[in-house]
mmCIF file of all heavy atoms in Angstrom:
data_model
loop_
_atom_site.group_PDB
_atom_site.id
_atom_site.type_symbol
_atom_site.label_atom_id
_atom_site.label_comp_id
_atom_site.label_asym_id
_atom_site.label_seq_id
_atom_site.Cartn_x
_atom_site.Cartn_y
_atom_site.Cartn_z
ATOM 1 N N PHE A 55 55.195 63.360 -14.619
ATOM 2 C CA PHE A 55 55.614 64.633 -15.275
ATOM 3 C C PHE A 55 54.887 64.850 -16.533
ATOM 4 O O PHE A 55 54.377 65.926 -16.970
ATOM 5 C CB PHE A 55 57.105 64.726 -15.519
ATOM 6 C CG PHE A 55 57.820 64.867 -14.178
ATOM 7 C CD1 PHE A 55 58.732 63.894 -13.845
ATOM 8 C CD2 PHE A 55 57.646 65.996 -13.408
ATOM 9 C CE1 PHE A 55 59.563 64.078 -12.613
ATOM 10 C CE2 PHE A 55 58.399 66.029 -12.184
ATOM 11 C CZ PHE A 55 59.206 65.171 -11.735
ATOM 12 N N THR A 56 54.962 63.971 -17.483
ATOM 13 C CA THR A 56 54.253 64.024 -18.818
ATOM 14 C C THR A 56 54.065 62.733 -19.487
ATOM 15 O O THR A 56 54.691 61.634 -19.042
ATOM 16 C CB THR A 56 55.136 64.932 -19.660
ATOM 17 O OG1 THR A 56 54.445 65.424 -20.762
ATOM 18 C CG2 THR A 56 56.392 64.221 -20.140
ATOM 19 N N GLU A 57 53.302 62.793 -20.607
ATOM 20 C CA GLU A 57 52.935 61.609 -21.295
ATOM 21 C C GLU A 57 53.191 61.828 -22.765
ATOM 22 O O GLU A 57 52.808 62.902 -23.358
ATOM 23 C CB GLU A 57 51.449 61.227 -21.090
ATOM 24 C CG GLU A 57 51.034 60.035 -22.029
ATOM 25 C CD GLU A 57 49.513 59.802 -21.788
ATOM 26 O OE1 GLU A 57 49.073 59.222 -20.813
ATOM 27 O OE2 GLU A 57 48.744 60.232 -22.586
ATOM 28 N N ILE A 58 53.768 60.871 -23.351
ATOM 29 C CA ILE A 58 53.938 60.852 -24.912
ATOM 30 C C ILE A 58 52.999 59.779 -25.320
ATOM 31 O O ILE A 58 53.180 58.640 -25.111
ATOM 32 C CB ILE A 58 55.350 60.681 -25.289
ATOM 33 C CG1 ILE A 58 56.314 61.676 -24.732
ATOM 34 C CG2 ILE A 58 55.420 60.506 -26.798
ATOM 35 C CD1 ILE A 58 57.682 61.412 -24.836
ATOM 36 N N ASN A 59 51.927 60.235 -26.054
ATOM 37 C CA ASN A 59 50.943 59.276 -26.417
ATOM 38 C C ASN A 59 51.167 58.774 -27.931
ATOM 39 O O ASN A 59 50.649 59.295 -28.872
ATOM 40 C CB ASN A 59 49.529 59.871 -26.384
ATOM 41 C CG ASN A 59 48.468 58.792 -26.760
ATOM 42 O OD1 ASN A 59 48.628 57.675 -27.115
ATOM 43 N ND2 ASN A 59 47.233 59.263 -26.553
ATOM 44 N N HIS A 60 52.047 57.667 -27.954
ATOM 45 C CA HIS A 60 52.426 57.155 -29.289
ATOM 46 C C HIS A 60 51.204 56.503 -29.933
ATOM 47 O O HIS A 60 50.929 56.486 -31.248
ATOM 48 C CB HIS A 60 53.360 55.928 -29.221
ATOM 49 C CG HIS A 60 54.778 56.427 -28.623
ATOM 50 N ND1 HIS A 60 55.483 57.404 -29.342
ATOM 51 C CD2 HIS A 60 55.631 56.073 -27.787
ATOM 52 C CE1 HIS A 60 56.588 57.613 -28.817
ATOM 53 N NE2 HIS A 60 56.748 56.829 -27.837
ATOM 54 N N GLY A 61 50.223 56.067 -29.235
ATOM 55 C CA GLY A 61 49.010 55.522 -29.615
ATOM 56 C C GLY A 61 48.123 56.488 -30.335
ATOM 57 O O GLY A 61 47.161 56.052 -31.219
ATOM 58 N N ALA A 62 48.373 57.734 -30.234
ATOM 59 C CA ALA A 62 47.467 58.704 -30.940
ATOM 60 C C ALA A 62 47.942 58.834 -32.312
ATOM 61 O O ALA A 62 47.131 59.105 -33.320
ATOM 62 C CB ALA A 62 47.765 60.065 -30.340
ATOM 63 N N TRP A 63 49.204 58.543 -32.768
ATOM 64 C CA TRP A 63 49.647 58.623 -34.189
ATOM 65 C C TRP A 63 49.908 57.288 -34.834
ATOM 66 O O TRP A 63 49.955 57.225 -36.103
ATOM 67 C CB TRP A 63 50.851 59.559 -34.295
ATOM 68 C CG TRP A 63 52.201 59.177 -33.521
ATOM 69 C CD1 TRP A 63 52.443 59.379 -32.290
ATOM 70 C CD2 TRP A 63 53.191 58.214 -34.048
ATOM 71 N NE1 TRP A 63 53.643 58.732 -31.857
ATOM 72 C CE2 TRP A 63 53.971 58.062 -32.919
ATOM 73 C CE3 TRP A 63 53.343 57.593 -35.254
ATOM 74 C CZ2 TRP A 63 55.138 57.246 -33.179
ATOM 75 C CZ3 TRP A 63 54.488 56.794 -35.383
ATOM 76 C CH2 TRP A 63 55.372 56.549 -34.254
ATOM 77 N N LEU A 64 50.114 56.215 -34.018
ATOM 78 C CA LEU A 64 50.403 54.875 -34.633
ATOM 79 C C LEU A 64 49.315 54.417 -35.510
ATOM 80 O O LEU A 64 49.625 53.693 -36.644
ATOM 81 C CB LEU A 64 50.647 53.867 -33.545
ATOM 82 C CG LEU A 64 52.034 54.089 -32.881
ATOM 83 C CD1 LEU A 64 52.045 53.111 -31.649
ATOM 84 C CD2 LEU A 64 53.127 53.939 -33.820
ATOM 85 N N PRO A 65 48.005 54.631 -35.376
ATOM 86 C CA PRO A 65 46.910 54.260 -36.343
ATOM 87 C C PRO A 65 47.153 54.702 -37.717
ATOM 88 O O PRO A 65 46.883 54.009 -38.662
ATOM 89 C CB PRO A 65 45.628 54.723 -35.663
ATOM 90 C CG PRO A 65 45.862 54.995 -34.248
ATOM 91 C CD PRO A 65 47.356 55.263 -34.213
ATOM 92 N N ARG A 66 47.931 55.818 -37.937
ATOM 93 C CA ARG A 66 48.085 56.259 -39.315
ATOM 94 C C ARG A 66 48.974 55.248 -40.041
ATOM 95 O O ARG A 66 48.924 55.149 -41.207
ATOM 96 C CB ARG A 66 49.032 57.621 -39.153
ATOM 97 C CG ARG A 66 49.604 58.166 -40.414
ATOM 98 C CD ARG A 66 48.583 58.653 -41.456
ATOM 99 N NE ARG A 66 47.684 59.675 -40.726
ATOM 100 C CZ ARG A 66 46.455 59.915 -41.050
ATOM 101 N NH1 ARG A 66 45.928 59.199 -42.126
ATOM 102 N NH2 ARG A 66 45.736 60.788 -40.452
ATOM 103 N N TYR A 67 49.634 54.343 -39.310
ATOM 104 C CA TYR A 67 50.506 53.318 -39.880
ATOM 105 C C TYR A 67 50.074 51.897 -39.652
ATOM 106 O O TYR A 67 50.672 50.942 -39.731
ATOM 107 C CB TYR A 67 52.006 53.467 -39.340
ATOM 108 C CG TYR A 67 52.619 54.749 -39.700
ATOM 109 C CD1 TYR A 67 52.486 55.781 -38.851
ATOM 110 C CD2 TYR A 67 53.248 54.945 -40.871
ATOM 111 C CE1 TYR A 67 53.065 57.145 -39.242
ATOM 112 C CE2 TYR A 67 53.721 56.121 -41.306
ATOM 113 C CZ TYR A 67 53.705 57.196 -40.480
ATOM 114 O OH TYR A 67 54.188 58.437 -40.777
ATOM 115 N N GLY A 68 48.757 51.875 -39.307
ATOM 116 C CA GLY A 68 48.074 50.569 -39.220
ATOM 117 C C GLY A 68 48.221 49.905 -37.891
ATOM 118 O O GLY A 68 47.861 48.661 -37.638
ATOM 119 N N ILE A 69 48.786 50.552 -36.846
ATOM 120 C CA ILE A 69 48.984 49.955 -35.517
ATOM 121 C C ILE A 69 48.009 50.569 -34.625
ATOM 122 O O ILE A 69 47.932 51.673 -34.321
ATOM 123 C CB ILE A 69 50.398 50.287 -35.060
ATOM 124 C CG1 ILE A 69 51.510 49.836 -36.031
ATOM 125 C CG2 ILE A 69 50.608 49.805 -33.689
ATOM 126 C CD1 ILE A 69 52.891 50.183 -35.734
ATOM 127 N N THR A 70 47.008 49.848 -34.230
ATOM 128 C CA THR A 70 45.998 50.223 -33.404
ATOM 129 C C THR A 70 46.172 49.992 -31.870
ATOM 130 O O THR A 70 45.366 50.300 -31.000
ATOM 131 C CB THR A 70 44.716 49.552 -33.781
ATOM 132 O OG1 THR A 70 44.734 48.227 -33.697
ATOM 133 C CG2 THR A 70 44.358 50.051 -35.212
ATOM 134 N N GLN A 71 47.313 49.424 -31.450
ATOM 135 C CA GLN A 71 47.533 49.124 -30.059
ATOM 136 C C GLN A 71 47.775 50.456 -29.319
ATOM 137 O O GLN A 71 48.478 51.273 -29.907
ATOM 138 C CB GLN A 71 48.913 48.397 -30.007
ATOM 139 C CG GLN A 71 49.289 47.791 -28.776
ATOM 140 C CD GLN A 71 50.568 46.930 -28.892
ATOM 141 O OE1 GLN A 71 51.211 46.852 -30.038
ATOM 142 N NE2 GLN A 71 50.915 46.188 -27.855
ATOM 143 N N ARG A 72 47.247 50.561 -28.149
ATOM 144 C CA ARG A 72 47.380 51.682 -27.353
ATOM 145 C C ARG A 72 48.700 51.639 -26.634
ATOM 146 O O ARG A 72 49.071 50.620 -26.116
ATOM 147 C CB ARG A 72 46.172 51.817 -26.373
ATOM 148 C CG ARG A 72 44.869 52.043 -27.058
ATOM 149 C CD ARG A 72 43.869 52.474 -26.116
ATOM 150 N NE ARG A 72 43.416 51.433 -25.289
ATOM 151 C CZ ARG A 72 42.593 51.455 -24.256
ATOM 152 N NH1 ARG A 72 42.064 52.637 -23.885
ATOM 153 N NH2 ARG A 72 42.310 50.375 -23.461
ATOM 154 N N VAL A 73 49.423 52.708 -26.759
ATOM 155 C CA VAL A 73 50.760 52.774 -25.963
ATOM 156 C C VAL A 73 51.056 54.160 -25.581
ATOM 157 O O VAL A 73 50.812 55.159 -26.354
ATOM 158 C CB VAL A 73 51.859 52.209 -26.959
ATOM 159 C CG1 VAL A 73 51.826 52.798 -28.304
ATOM 160 C CG2 VAL A 73 53.192 52.295 -26.371
ATOM 161 N N VAL A 74 51.539 54.386 -24.383
ATOM 162 C CA VAL A 74 51.905 55.572 -23.984
ATOM 163 C C VAL A 74 53.341 55.507 -23.257
ATOM 164 O O VAL A 74 53.637 54.411 -22.611
ATOM 165 C CB VAL A 74 50.943 56.172 -22.903
ATOM 166 C CG1 VAL A 74 49.609 56.627 -23.514
ATOM 167 C CG2 VAL A 74 50.635 55.337 -21.718
ATOM 168 N N ARG A 75 54.088 56.580 -23.334
ATOM 169 C CA ARG A 75 55.408 56.636 -22.630
ATOM 170 C C ARG A 75 55.212 57.767 -21.597
ATOM 171 O O ARG A 75 54.942 58.790 -21.895
ATOM 172 C CB ARG A 75 56.447 57.028 -23.648
ATOM 173 C CG ARG A 75 57.858 57.262 -23.103
ATOM 174 C CD ARG A 75 58.803 57.456 -24.131
ATOM 175 N NE ARG A 75 60.016 57.942 -23.729
ATOM 176 C CZ ARG A 75 60.856 58.542 -24.616
ATOM 177 N NH1 ARG A 75 60.534 58.757 -25.788
ATOM 178 N NH2 ARG A 75 61.974 58.958 -24.018
ATOM 179 N N TRP A 76 55.514 57.272 -20.373
ATOM 180 C CA TRP A 76 55.320 58.216 -19.220
ATOM 181 C C TRP A 76 56.767 58.637 -18.615
ATOM 182 O O TRP A 76 57.476 57.742 -18.509
ATOM 183 C CB TRP A 76 54.492 57.645 -18.127
ATOM 184 C CG TRP A 76 53.096 57.659 -18.212
ATOM 185 C CD1 TRP A 76 52.302 57.955 -19.352
ATOM 186 C CD2 TRP A 76 52.121 57.379 -17.286
ATOM 187 N NE1 TRP A 76 51.007 57.855 -19.119
ATOM 188 C CE2 TRP A 76 50.805 57.463 -17.783
ATOM 189 C CE3 TRP A 76 52.211 56.939 -15.859
ATOM 190 C CZ2 TRP A 76 49.591 57.333 -17.155
ATOM 191 C CZ3 TRP A 76 50.949 56.726 -15.216
ATOM 192 C CH2 TRP A 76 49.789 56.990 -15.849
ATOM 193 N N ILE A 77 56.893 59.870 -18.363
ATOM 194 C CA ILE A 77 58.107 60.371 -17.687
ATOM 195 C C ILE A 77 57.564 60.647 -16.237
ATOM 196 O O ILE A 77 56.684 61.424 -16.018
ATOM 197 C CB ILE A 77 58.546 61.664 -18.266
ATOM 198 C CG1 ILE A 77 58.701 61.636 -19.840
ATOM 199 C CG2 ILE A 77 59.910 62.040 -17.575
ATOM 200 C CD1 ILE A 77 59.548 60.397 -20.443
ATOM 201 N N ILE A 78 58.324 59.910 -15.327
ATOM 202 C CA ILE A 78 57.808 59.932 -13.924
ATOM 203 C C ILE A 78 59.269 60.155 -13.037
ATOM 204 O O ILE A 78 60.344 59.621 -13.530
ATOM 205 C CB ILE A 78 57.032 58.700 -13.399
ATOM 206 C CG1 ILE A 78 58.008 57.528 -13.397
ATOM 207 C CG2 ILE A 78 55.863 58.559 -14.259
ATOM 208 C CD1 ILE A 78 57.301 56.305 -12.797
ATOM 209 N N GLY A 79 58.998 60.592 -11.832
ATOM 210 C CA GLY A 79 60.121 60.813 -11.035
ATOM 211 C C GLY A 79 59.906 61.435 -9.752
ATOM 212 O O GLY A 79 58.791 61.690 -9.358
ATOM 213 N N ASN A 80 61.037 61.838 -9.176
ATOM 214 C CA ASN A 80 60.908 62.578 -7.780
ATOM 215 C C ASN A 80 62.274 63.246 -7.782
ATOM 216 O O ASN A 80 63.277 62.644 -7.727
ATOM 217 C CB ASN A 80 60.639 61.736 -6.750
ATOM 218 C CG ASN A 80 60.532 62.406 -5.409
ATOM 219 O OD1 ASN A 80 61.186 63.350 -5.160
ATOM 220 N ND2 ASN A 80 59.786 61.785 -4.438
ATOM 221 N N PRO A 81 62.387 64.621 -7.660
ATOM 222 C CA PRO A 81 63.646 65.271 -7.505
ATOM 223 C C PRO A 81 64.370 64.971 -6.268
ATOM 224 O O PRO A 81 65.522 64.886 -6.246
ATOM 225 C CB PRO A 81 63.340 66.816 -7.591
ATOM 226 C CG PRO A 81 61.956 66.857 -7.229
ATOM 227 C CD PRO A 81 61.310 65.560 -7.703
ATOM 228 N N LEU A 82 63.593 64.413 -5.379
ATOM 229 C CA LEU A 82 64.368 63.994 -4.078
ATOM 230 C C LEU A 82 64.943 62.635 -4.187
ATOM 231 O O LEU A 82 65.820 62.344 -3.500
ATOM 232 C CB LEU A 82 63.313 64.018 -3.001
ATOM 233 C CG LEU A 82 62.474 65.374 -2.644
ATOM 234 C CD1 LEU A 82 61.571 65.147 -1.561
ATOM 235 C CD2 LEU A 82 63.429 66.420 -2.525
ATOM 236 N N TYR A 83 64.490 61.812 -5.110
ATOM 237 C CA TYR A 83 65.223 60.689 -5.512
ATOM 238 C C TYR A 83 66.309 60.837 -6.528
ATOM 239 O O TYR A 83 67.389 60.392 -6.328
ATOM 240 C CB TYR A 83 64.242 59.565 -6.279
ATOM 241 C CG TYR A 83 63.099 59.108 -5.506
ATOM 242 C CD1 TYR A 83 62.109 58.470 -6.118
ATOM 243 C CD2 TYR A 83 63.005 59.156 -4.067
ATOM 244 C CE1 TYR A 83 61.139 57.729 -5.454
ATOM 245 C CE2 TYR A 83 61.913 58.687 -3.411
ATOM 246 C CZ TYR A 83 60.903 58.005 -4.045
ATOM 247 O OH TYR A 83 59.856 57.324 -3.387
ATOM 248 N N ALA A 84 66.139 61.737 -7.390
ATOM 249 C CA ALA A 84 67.103 62.175 -8.394
ATOM 250 C C ALA A 84 68.406 62.716 -7.684
ATOM 251 O O ALA A 84 69.478 62.373 -8.180
ATOM 252 C CB ALA A 84 66.585 63.165 -9.381
ATOM 253 N N ILE A 85 68.246 63.544 -6.679
ATOM 254 C CA ILE A 85 69.439 64.137 -6.113
ATOM 255 C C ILE A 85 70.230 63.008 -5.389
ATOM 256 O O ILE A 85 71.488 63.193 -5.267
ATOM 257 C CB ILE A 85 69.066 65.226 -5.200
ATOM 258 C CG1 ILE A 85 70.352 65.976 -4.685
ATOM 259 C CG2 ILE A 85 68.361 64.875 -3.867
ATOM 260 C CD1 ILE A 85 71.109 66.716 -5.821
ATOM 261 N N THR A 86 69.615 61.934 -4.909
ATOM 262 C CA THR A 86 70.496 60.927 -4.190
ATOM 263 C C THR A 86 71.494 60.354 -5.282
ATOM 264 O O THR A 86 72.395 59.803 -4.851
ATOM 265 C CB THR A 86 69.559 59.745 -3.706
ATOM 266 O OG1 THR A 86 69.038 59.047 -4.636
ATOM 267 C CG2 THR A 86 68.516 60.324 -2.723
ATOM 268 N N MET A 87 71.254 60.426 -6.457
ATOM 269 C CA MET A 87 72.166 59.899 -7.544
ATOM 270 C C MET A 87 72.938 60.852 -8.201
ATOM 271 O O MET A 87 74.215 60.779 -8.241
ATOM 272 C CB MET A 87 71.436 59.005 -8.641
ATOM 273 C CG MET A 87 70.755 57.862 -7.935
ATOM 274 S SD MET A 87 69.361 57.219 -8.984
ATOM 275 C CE MET A 87 68.098 58.314 -8.583
ATOM 276 N N ILE A 88 72.362 62.022 -8.587
ATOM 277 C CA ILE A 88 73.057 63.089 -9.228
ATOM 278 C C ILE A 88 74.184 63.769 -8.380
ATOM 279 O O ILE A 88 75.215 64.118 -8.906
ATOM 280 C CB ILE A 88 72.038 64.104 -9.740
ATOM 281 C CG1 ILE A 88 71.169 63.633 -10.898
ATOM 282 C CG2 ILE A 88 72.848 65.363 -10.187
ATOM 283 C CD1 ILE A 88 69.958 64.425 -11.224
ATOM 284 N N ARG A 89 74.072 63.675 -7.181
ATOM 285 C CA ARG A 89 75.158 64.281 -6.309
ATOM 286 C C ARG A 89 76.313 63.425 -6.272
ATOM 287 O O ARG A 89 77.418 63.898 -6.015
ATOM 288 C CB ARG A 89 74.645 64.424 -4.757
ATOM 289 C CG ARG A 89 74.501 63.045 -4.040
ATOM 290 C CD ARG A 89 74.295 63.299 -2.582
ATOM 291 N NE ARG A 89 73.655 64.450 -2.062
ATOM 292 C CZ ARG A 89 72.532 64.676 -1.573
ATOM 293 N NH1 ARG A 89 71.741 63.686 -1.216
ATOM 294 N NH2 ARG A 89 72.082 65.961 -1.072
ATOM 295 N N HIS A 90 76.257 62.151 -6.706
ATOM 296 C CA HIS A 90 77.338 61.259 -6.927
ATOM 297 C C HIS A 90 77.967 61.215 -8.321
ATOM 298 O O HIS A 90 79.117 60.758 -8.508
ATOM 299 C CB HIS A 90 77.081 59.885 -6.451
ATOM 300 C CG HIS A 90 76.584 59.821 -5.021
ATOM 301 N ND1 HIS A 90 77.396 60.207 -3.944
ATOM 302 C CD2 HIS A 90 75.383 59.632 -4.462
ATOM 303 C CE1 HIS A 90 76.789 60.074 -2.875
ATOM 304 N NE2 HIS A 90 75.508 59.770 -3.117
ATOM 305 N N ASP A 91 77.102 61.593 -9.313
ATOM 306 C CA ASP A 91 77.538 61.555 -10.709
ATOM 307 C C ASP A 91 76.606 62.436 -11.444
ATOM 308 O O ASP A 91 75.531 62.069 -11.646
ATOM 309 C CB ASP A 91 77.696 60.196 -11.248
ATOM 310 C CG ASP A 91 78.122 60.287 -12.795
ATOM 311 O OD1 ASP A 91 78.316 61.253 -13.318
ATOM 312 O OD2 ASP A 91 78.447 59.115 -13.203
ATOM 313 N N ILE A 92 76.949 63.645 -11.856
ATOM 314 C CA ILE A 92 76.075 64.540 -12.493
ATOM 315 C C ILE A 92 75.529 63.980 -13.721
ATOM 316 O O ILE A 92 74.357 64.268 -13.990
ATOM 317 C CB ILE A 92 76.711 65.931 -12.812
ATOM 318 C CG1 ILE A 92 75.752 67.013 -13.144
ATOM 319 C CG2 ILE A 92 77.725 65.754 -14.044
ATOM 320 C CD1 ILE A 92 75.067 67.466 -11.970
ATOM 321 N N THR A 93 76.178 62.949 -14.390
ATOM 322 C CA THR A 93 75.620 62.376 -15.703
ATOM 323 C C THR A 93 74.512 61.405 -15.339
ATOM 324 O O THR A 93 73.797 61.061 -16.235
ATOM 325 C CB THR A 93 76.764 61.702 -16.495
ATOM 326 O OG1 THR A 93 77.199 60.608 -15.752
ATOM 327 C CG2 THR A 93 77.867 62.569 -16.790
ATOM 328 N N ALA A 94 74.253 61.111 -14.071
ATOM 329 C CA ALA A 94 73.151 60.280 -13.839
ATOM 330 C C ALA A 94 71.758 61.076 -14.096
ATOM 331 O O ALA A 94 70.823 60.402 -14.386
ATOM 332 C CB ALA A 94 73.058 59.933 -12.287
ATOM 333 N N GLY A 95 71.880 62.431 -14.239
ATOM 334 C CA GLY A 95 70.773 63.238 -14.735
ATOM 335 C C GLY A 95 70.286 62.852 -16.174
ATOM 336 O O GLY A 95 69.110 63.258 -16.521
ATOM 337 N N LEU A 96 71.054 62.174 -16.883
ATOM 338 C CA LEU A 96 70.728 61.822 -18.275
ATOM 339 C C LEU A 96 69.537 60.741 -18.178
ATOM 340 O O LEU A 96 68.705 60.698 -19.011
ATOM 341 C CB LEU A 96 71.931 61.175 -19.029
ATOM 342 C CG LEU A 96 71.584 60.615 -20.460
ATOM 343 C CD1 LEU A 96 71.249 61.938 -21.338
ATOM 344 C CD2 LEU A 96 72.883 60.052 -20.966
ATOM 345 N N PHE A 97 69.434 60.109 -17.052
ATOM 346 C CA PHE A 97 68.420 58.986 -16.788
ATOM 347 C C PHE A 97 67.393 59.220 -15.693
ATOM 348 O O PHE A 97 66.790 58.402 -15.168
ATOM 349 C CB PHE A 97 69.024 57.579 -16.879
ATOM 350 C CG PHE A 97 69.756 57.308 -18.008
ATOM 351 C CD1 PHE A 97 71.206 57.270 -17.919
ATOM 352 C CD2 PHE A 97 69.175 57.131 -19.203
ATOM 353 C CE1 PHE A 97 72.000 57.046 -19.094
ATOM 354 C CE2 PHE A 97 69.996 56.802 -20.331
ATOM 355 C CZ PHE A 97 71.411 56.838 -20.364
#
């Protein structure tokens, strides 16, 4: 779905390690949980 590239701004603070946070999923997987507890949508 999307990427948050922490590695793009971390060098400003002396951290040169590359690091990305990816948001991934599948709504067909999500519904198998959310139908049993709507708050599963938080994760």
Side-chain angles (χ1 to χ4, degrees):
F55 289 119
T56 195
E57 175 182 281
I58 300 167
N59 185 356
H60 292 306
W63 62 269
L64 286 173
R66 173 69 53 211
Y67 296 92
I69 301 170
T70 58
Q71 185 176 11
R72 294 190 292 171
V73 55
V74 294
R75 180 176 164 197
W76 279 12
I77 312 300
I78 66 170
N80 181 330
L82 307 178
Y83 293 168
I85 191 58
T86 67
M87 292 158 286
I88 293 172
R89 71 171 23 120
H90 302 297
D91 182 349
I92 198 75
T93 66
L96 184 59
F97 299 108

